[in-house]
Amino acid sequence: MNAHRDIMTGLDATADERGSQKIDHDIVSALLVFGLSIALILCSRFISPALGSWDQVLTVLTLASFLVVLSFGQGLVILIGGLDLSIPALITLGGVLTTNWIGTGDFGVWYLLPVILVVCALVGAVSGVGVVWLKIPPFIMTMATSIVIASAALGYTNGTPRGGSPSALLWLMKERFLGVPVVIYFTIALVLLAWAIQSYTAMGRRLYALGTNREAARIAGVTVNRLELAPYAISAACAGFVGMMLVGYSNGATLRMGDSYMLPSIAAVVIGGSSILGGSGTFIGTVGGAILLTSLGTVISAIGLSAGWRTIIEGAIIVAALLVLRGELVVRLGNRLIAWKR
Amino acid sequence: MKLFRTLATAASLTLAATIGMGTLVQNAQAQDKKFKIYLSLSYSGNAWQSEAANIVKALAQTPPYDKTVELKEVISGTDPQAQISAYESMIQAGADGIISFPISSTALNRTIHRGCQKGVLFFMYDATVTEPCAYNVSYITAGFGENTAQALVNILGGKGKIFLSRGVPGNSVDKRHTDGAMHIFNQYPGIKVVAEYYSFWDDRTTQQETAKALAAHPDVDGIWAQAGEYGAIQALLAKGNKLVPMTGENSDGFRLALADPKMQAMGLKGVSAGSPPATAGYAFKLMMETLTKKRELKPMNIEYPLPWVPADQVKLCKGDTFADGCNVFPASKVPSSFVTEVFNPQFLPELSLQSALEGKPTPGATIQPLPAEIKQAPDAPGINCSNCKAPAGEYKLTKIEATVKP
Amino acid sequence: MSTASDTLTARPLRRRQSPLLRAIVSGTGIVALIYIILYALYAFWQPSALSVFTFTDLVNNSTPLALAAAGETFVVISRGFDLSVAGVVSLTNVVMAVYPLQGAGGALASLLICCVIGGVVGAVNGILVARLGLQTIAATLGTMIVCQGLALVILDAPGGMVADFVTYKLTDTLFGVVPVAGLFLLLVVILWLAFRRTDTGIGLYAIGADEQSARFSGVAASRVRIFAFIAAGMLYGVAGFMLSAQTATGNPTAGTPFLMLTFAAVALGGTSLSGGRGSLIGSILGAGTLMLLQKVLFSGGVSSFYTGIFQGFVLVLAIVFGNAVGWLLKKEERQ
């Protein structure tokens, strides 16, 4: 009996070890991405002595906040093996509805903002319904949603969205607290919440299962159809929220404000270690990816070369960063970390 | 066999359904002798494009054009193939005239040439094509880059660190503006361009890129900007309460800021120039006058005057038009991203604010004839002509004199 | 007396799936059906659509996207995403316009140069993915950005001039009936059909469906992957070549619209974006459908921002229709 108990504790120990091994890998991966961002910012001193400063870090973090919120939603969709191309249109929708329905008047801002988020989530749910029940490939479904919403917004506003930003959003995006912009505190809180949801709740775990093997998840009792709807709705709500953030940032909305975030939202998720085919990756890694991309963009725009050379350098650095962040390297470092802990 | 039947039934049902739906969509058009005019846009969804399109739509509904013009708007997006395809469809549908914002100065040439051979008139506004049989109506040769650069140099007294906020990389308009500006800046060794970034003619992007540049160079003395300049002001305000002399285009936010005593006290000085959406209206009226034989115009490049509003000349409009030399609208009427230069009392007296915002005609207005003279635009290779050379003195200053010697 | 043998013979033999049926049930057949229906609509509203001239225009317009989608199919079937299509198209277009080579010989040389450029980029992608273990979307994102930058370095604003032979002859028709661009597509299709029967071709599908099993079955997964990327890259190069023929000039950002459209064409053509299934012919037809859609909407009188709304709905309807037909046919066949 004692022997049995020894074996059981032995097995448990291995399970725990394996579990903690996984956490270590995730942490190593995330640390590597953050480390690369810091290295990039420090190296930018060679380009200009004014760079590499605390001010630049704050600027990078403020600008990265949009991408961070966005790539949470995109990350969830990619986790289940899909892709959300409707993000630019939903950013626009969130922004246009905010300036049109609320504007600078602030009337009803506390209930209208959630209503707008719900509207965006509903649009996302429509995409989800198309993917899950009509069996339309996510690429086409979200692209169709994007085109329809963008055209509807164009028709609705006649091209010029009126209205400015409600003061609540202005406060979020422009105020500072103890010298650090409020939006950074807000983003950190969101990151912790989102990371907890994705990695430590039951729903999060079921999403991982869904992304790894849909059939197996279904057999295991996960209500795959309804669950698959959730990431699309969440992604759409995140995008709508980023639209609101952008309205606060620049005190107004335009119809193309989301366009430049399409590729970076996917890139941040992928650079952060998630597989484009689903089933792996953590949000902390994605956050690192978002910050890395934003730092890279900041450093690149400070280089005094022509647009062509700047673009080449940016691409080369991305490839180099990816090579450094490769799975094998992370595994080796992670193993060394575990060995060192013992 | 059964399979075949199922397939055939499915196909014919769908065909019937779509034809039914299709005939619902297509209205039976009255067979009057109306001019068939197509408004071909590429970009859409930014204030400039929408205002320009609305101006054309408003003019097309103003008497007498409301009875003689049938206008259809086609948006193609940023894919040149799509605009090529759109032009081909329009030519095939028997267009009399196509008024367009071309996505590329060169890719559409072959299709335009074929259309010209069929007798279609092509009028391009603001953006230009190098095809000789097309009419280009644009301010681009009027020297936005060099004039605003000289204005900035004058304000800075010939020395200082400046930012260059450009447009879209790989675009001829951005290149022409920047080349003109650099031609001036290079004459003054005291002027240093410490940061040059691409803002894609968008307020938000300008704000973000300027913020990044400010992080690296907080001691900037001036900013030369293309469209989106209000974003630069927002970035400066967010950083601290200091502004610097700036030149930019003509967003409502920028012009109001130039005239705002609070901003002036923080250090804002400058000039508002830039691309006027009114060009579209001017091009449309020229096209209609040519089509109705009121004017005899051979394909040529026509220059639209460069708007020029220094800070001390900004005047708030009380009504809905540019009356009494006013040139900016209050913030309660239009958003900060509204492009202000939608009026021209000389060329386009039929327009009011509603025309630009909604594409509706002004009640009671009728189309007025244009002034007889037209200013021909100088050759600009790669922009409005292909086998040509730029004239000497391409970057000649027209709006301003240098007050500082290089 | 019923015996086992009686019951056996009493049950009818299963019909062998005819190749025609297989073709129709597959995505290729369905997208072909959609294309025919759309063309019928187009001809209904615009009778001149049935002329050689209009058809040639349509083929010329669709060929660059069709070639790009054909190339992308190679990578998608092997379970990957190749974003470098945008970069290669921009780069080859710019090279064609800045270094034009005159005459028929020059055109052939230019074509080879485009293939080489595309092939080199494809090889780099293949090595990054197969030998260095990067994800396809991440690696090709990097190469796309680098190619984009190279294009801007070579030509910083639209300009240049593509050789006359390329722009006039390659957008013309042969014997007044057959569009030359269509011949390019036909050649690619024939090569594809031959390729599918080779070991590499079968291996491509195998590693897309299940890479582990494929490896165990003896498929040289790395080599097949690298080959797929090189083939894709070369096709992107030819796409840039044909784009230059159509636009006659260079534009450093020519490839940007191709990114989204290429994947849409591939998905529309019935190729699964998670690999293992699909056909190059379907992708070509998918590209044709996308370009045809604009014409159909125009001739149907849809204008202004409604075009976008209709485009979105028609895309969704086309896929739903395709799924429905496929499901109906599968049910048919099982009975």
Side-chain angles (χ1 to χ4, degrees):
Chain A
M1 202 136 55
N2 280 342
H4 174 74
R5 213 174 29 169
D6 285 339
I7 293 174
M8 284 314 290
T9 26
L11 280 174
D12 283 337
T14 331
D16 281 341
E17 258 177 39
R18 268 210 303 273
S20 70
Q21 260 182 15
K22 183 168 189 312
I23 295 177
D24 283 334
H25 285 165
D26 288 344
I27 292 184
V28 168
S29 170
L31 281 177
L32 262 181
V33 181
F34 282 105
L36 274 176
S37 308
I38 297 176
L40 205 57
I41 293 185
L42 289 176
C43 284
S44 64
R45 272 190 186 275
F46 292 118
I47 303 173
S48 152
L51 288 172
S53 61
W54 175 241
D55 217 21
Q56 189 194 12
V57 171
L58 285 181
T59 310
V60 165
L61 287 177
T62 310
L63 293 177
S65 61
F66 306 119
L67 198 52
V68 164
V69 175
L70 210 51
S71 31
F72 174 56
Q74 179 73 276
L76 283 183
V77 176
I78 290 182
L79 183 61
I80 60 162
L83 207 57
D84 189 356
L85 296 179
S86 60
I87 280 180
L90 280 159
I91 293 179
T92 303
L93 186 66
V96 164
L97 288 180
T98 305
T99 55
N100 250 334
W101 289 356
I102 311 178
T104 47
D106 280 347
F107 182 70
V109 66
W110 295 115
Y111 66 83
L112 277 176
L113 282 180
V115 164
I116 295 176
L117 284 178
V118 167
V119 169
C120 293
L122 282 174
V123 172
V126 168
S127 295
V129 163
V131 170
V132 173
W133 274 286
L134 296 177
K135 302 270 187 283
I136 302 174
F139 194 95
I140 298 269
M141 186 68 217
T142 53
M143 193 170 94
T145 314
S146 177
I147 300 175
V148 170
I149 296 283
S151 304
L154 180 59
Y156 178 57
T157 59
N158 260 317
T160 313
R162 320 279 184 94
S165 166
S167 37
L169 291 174
L170 284 176
W171 174 82
L172 174 68
M173 296 309 298
K174 299 215 195 256
E175 283 307 312
R176 286 176 178 237
F177 182 67
L178 301 177
V180 173
V182 171
V183 65
I184 293 184
Y185 295 111
F186 178 80
T187 312
I188 293 178
L190 208 74
V191 164
L192 291 171
L193 182 68
W195 182 37
I197 293 179
Q198 183 170 335
S199 300
Y200 296 109
T201 59
M203 179 180 96
R205 270 194 281 268
R206 286 194 208 117
L207 286 175
Y208 275 95
L210 189 67
T212 314
N213 191 330
R214 196 169 192 276
E215 263 315 293
R218 193 180 63 82
I219 295 171
V222 177
T223 50
V224 286
N225 281 347
R226 267 180 294 168
L227 188 63
E228 202 168 345
L229 220 46
Y232 290 98
I234 296 178
S235 178
C238 285
F241 188 69
V242 170
M244 295 175 182
M245 287 168 78
L246 285 171
V247 164
Y249 182 69
S250 46
N251 210 338
T254 54
L255 289 173
R256 288 275 177 222
M257 46 198 245
D259 279 8
S260 56
Y261 289 101
M262 182 66 252
L263 219 46
S265 71
I266 300 179
V269 173
V270 167
I271 290 179
S274 307
S275 164
I276 192 70
L277 301 162
S280 73
T282 66
F283 183 52
I284 287 288
T286 305
V287 171
I291 295 182
L292 181 61
L293 279 174
T294 315
S295 326
L296 184 58
T298 314
V299 169
I300 292 289
S301 59
I303 298 180
L305 295 170
S306 73
W309 285 111
R310 279 193 224 174
T311 315
I312 294 179
I313 293 176
E314 185 175 4
I317 294 184
I318 288 181
V319 173
L322 288 167
L323 286 171
V324 166
L325 293 168
R326 259 178 311 163
E328 298 157 24
L329 188 66
V330 172
V331 168
R332 258 187 282 146
L333 275 177
N335 285 337
R336 245 190 270 161
L337 189 70
I338 295 163
W340 175 73
K341 272 214 309 205
R342 275 199 230 118
Chain B
M1 205 47 227
K2 196 161 169 223
L3 148 77
F4 205 70
R5 254 190 297 150
T6 328
L7 200 60
T9 336
S12 41
L13 272 175
T14 328
L15 198 61
T18 30
I19 288 181
M21 182 190 75
T23 24
L24 271 173
V25 171
Q26 190 179 44
N27 308 319
Q29 309 271 337
Q31 296 296 67
D32 301 324
K33 178 62 188 88
K34 279 190 171 193
F35 288 110
K36 230 180 185 172
I37 309 290
Y38 286 95
L39 172 61
S40 164
L41 302 181
S42 40
Y43 294 108
S44 66
N46 68 49
W48 196 101
Q49 292 292 339
S50 307
E51 291 167 38
N54 284 341
I55 287 173
V56 175
K57 287 190 246 186
L59 285 175
Q61 292 170 49
T62 309
Y65 291 154
D66 58 338
K67 300 269 184 312
T68 56
V69 169
E70 181 197 312
L71 182 75
K72 271 216 159 132
E73 178 191 28
V74 178
I75 304 176
S76 321
T78 52
D79 179 12
Q81 300 280 84
Q83 197 164 28
I84 291 176
S85 174
Y87 278 7
E88 281 165 2
S89 301
M90 294 170 194
I91 296 169
Q92 215 181 22
D96 294 304
I98 296 180
I99 177 161
S100 173
F101 186 96
I103 184 75
S104 160
S105 48
T106 48
L108 311 165
N109 288 357
R110 315 253 320 280
T111 318
I112 296 175
H113 188 76
R114 272 195 297 201
C116 289
Q117 287 176 326
K118 293 220 164 106
V120 183
L121 292 186
F122 282 87
F123 273 76
M124 309 296 175
Y125 60 87
D126 194 71
T128 53
V129 294
T130 55
E131 168 59 41
C133 82
Y135 299 77
N136 287 316
V137 181
S138 171
Y139 84 116
I140 193 175
T141 44
F144 167 74
E146 47 272 31
N147 281 297
T148 46
Q150 187 63 59
L152 191 60
V153 167
N154 289 352
I155 297 175
L156 293 176
K159 10 192 230 300
K161 300 192 187 158
I162 61 174
F163 291 166
L164 231 58
S165 169
R166 298 179 59 163
V168 176
N171 178 286
S172 351
V173 169
D174 163 76
K175 187 169 150 70
R176 172 67 180 80
H177 291 331
T178 312
D179 285 349
M182 288 313 295
H183 175 82
I184 300 294
F185 290 137
N186 285 337
Q187 294 172 10
Y188 294 88
I191 296 277
K192 281 196 177 38
V193 177
V194 292
E196 182 180 324
Y197 43 86
Y198 288 89
S199 307
F200 289 77
W201 296 318
D202 174 63
D203 280 358
R204 202 141 295 105
T205 316
T206 309
Q207 190 178 348
Q208 294 179 341
E209 293 297 319
T210 310
K212 292 183 195 170
L214 280 172
H217 306 277
D219 54 347
V220 63
D221 298 309
I223 301 182
W224 177 93
Q226 295 188 30
E229 65 282 352
Y230 189 58
I233 292 189
Q234 300 224 355
L236 284 166
L237 287 174
K239 186 134 166 75
N241 279 324
K242 190 173 89 90
L243 292 175
V244 294
M246 262 185 68
T247 58
E249 299 208 22
N250 51 78
S251 65
D252 204 76
F254 182 55
R255 279 199 179 169
L256 285 175
L258 278 179
D260 185 346
K262 249 193 338 174
M263 307 255 186
Q264 286 171 351
M266 289 196 256
L268 181 64
K269 296 195 238 303
V271 173
S272 161
S275 171
T279 318
Y282 184 53
F284 179 69
K285 281 177 74 171
L286 274 176
M287 178 170 78
M288 289 313 301
E289 288 190 359
T290 314
L291 277 175
T292 53
K293 306 278 191 280
K294 290 208 181 63
R295 183 189 288 268
E296 169 108 21
L297 198 62
K298 290 269 174 269
M300 59 184 285
N301 298 324
I302 298 156
E303 184 173 291
Y304 190 92
L306 177 70
W308 188 260
V309 178
D312 50 1
Q313 287 174 26
V314 177
K315 188 163 159 201
L316 200 64
C317 287
K318 300 212 180 24
D320 277 349
T321 58
F322 271 11
D324 312 315
C326 76
N327 42 36
V328 71
F329 292 98
S332 53
K333 281 212 165 125
V334 295
S336 60
S337 55
F338 181 75
V339 184
T340 335
E341 284 287 338
V342 288
F343 295 118
N344 188 317
Q346 205 194 6
F347 296 153
L348 303 166
E350 314 90 347
L351 295 177
S352 64
L353 198 54
Q354 289 309 97
S355 327
L357 286 176
E358 284 163 31
K360 296 217 173 48
T362 312
T366 55
I367 299 286
Q368 304 298 315
L370 290 170
E373 322 79 59
I374 299 190
K375 179 148 195 275
Q376 174 158 27
D379 281 346
I383 293 182
N384 58 21
C385 60
S386 40
N387 297 322
C388 53
K389 265 166 45 132
E394 181 188 6
Y395 298 130
K396 203 160 51 116
L397 294 171
T398 50
K399 288 286 186 185
I400 192 167
E401 294 286 318
T403 58
V404 189
K405 285 282 165 264
Chain C
M1 174 167 80
S2 69
T3 59
S5 54
D6 278 342
T7 348
L8 276 174
T9 45
R11 211 183 317 156
L13 286 169
R14 254 198 65 184
R15 273 182 314 190
R16 267 196 0 158
Q17 246 190 349
S18 70
L20 179 65
L21 181 62
R22 241 201 338 247
I24 295 179
V25 172
S26 75
T28 313
I30 291 172
V31 71
L33 190 62
I34 295 174
Y35 189 83
I36 292 172
I37 292 178
L38 278 180
Y39 209 96
L41 261 180
Y42 180 40
F44 175 67
W45 282 327
Q46 185 92 49
S48 62
L50 297 169
S51 70
V52 171
F53 184 68
T54 315
F55 186 66
T56 310
D57 268 348
L58 200 61
V59 172
N60 283 336
N61 248 338
S62 323
T63 301
L65 184 62
L67 287 168
E72 186 71 55
T73 318
F74 277 90
V75 178
V76 171
I77 289 181
S78 70
R79 201 163 151 90
F81 282 80
D82 191 351
L83 299 183
S84 64
V85 52
V88 174
V89 169
S90 298
L91 192 54
T92 46
N93 177 231
V94 154
V95 165
M96 290 283 297
V98 172
Y99 304 110
L101 300 171
Q102 304 295 339
L108 192 58
S110 299
L111 180 59
L112 285 170
I113 293 177
C114 291
C115 283
V116 166
I117 293 177
V120 166
V121 174
V124 169
N125 284 332
I127 293 175
L128 284 174
V129 170
R131 295 253 186 268
L132 293 176
L134 291 182
Q135 272 199 65
T136 57
I137 196 170
T140 54
L141 177 69
T143 48
M144 170 183 90
I145 297 179
V146 171
C147 286
Q148 205 47 73
L150 268 172
L152 276 170
V153 167
I154 296 178
L155 185 66
D156 64 349
M161 185 74 82
V162 178
D164 277 346
F165 183 87
V166 174
T167 56
Y168 285 111
K169 289 288 184 274
L170 293 179
T171 52
D172 207 348
T173 56
L174 216 55
F175 314 122
V177 186
V178 182
V180 175
L183 290 177
F184 270 83
L185 287 176
L186 204 59
L187 185 64
V188 169
V189 167
I190 292 174
L191 286 172
W192 163 257
L193 288 173
F195 169 72
R196 269 180 72 150
R197 298 183 194 290
T198 64
D199 281 344
T200 321
I202 299 174
L204 190 68
Y205 280 89
I207 59 176
D210 191 334
E211 183 158 350
Q212 282 286 58
S213 319
R215 276 185 205 265
F216 286 140
S217 314
V219 175
S222 299
R223 251 185 293 167
V224 171
R225 257 232 165 84
I226 295 181
F227 176 84
F229 275 108
I230 295 180
M234 284 171 55
L235 278 170
Y236 303 149
V238 182
F241 178 77
M242 291 309 295
L243 181 68
S244 312
Q246 238 226 323
T247 60
T249 53
N251 184 343
T253 51
T256 317
F258 277 75
L259 200 53
M260 288 293 125
L261 288 175
T262 305
F263 283 102
V266 169
L268 206 57
T271 303
S272 166
L273 288 177
S274 39
R277 288 191 293 125
S279 161
L280 181 135
I281 305 172
S283 305
I284 291 181
L285 287 170
T289 308
L290 282 176
M291 299 307 286
L292 185 57
L293 189 55
Q294 298 158 10
K295 291 239 182 277
V296 170
L297 289 176
F298 180 92
S299 59
V302 179
S303 67
S304 188
F305 63 89
Y306 290 105
T307 314
I309 298 185
F310 270 83
Q311 265 177 338
F313 273 102
V314 171
L315 268 176
V316 168
L317 277 173
I319 303 263
V320 169
F321 173 73
N323 286 345
V325 170
W327 177 78
L328 264 174
L329 288 174
K330 283 216 182 79
K331 237 180 54 151
E332 248 329 301
E333 176 204 310
R334 252 181 269 137
Q335 281 167 0

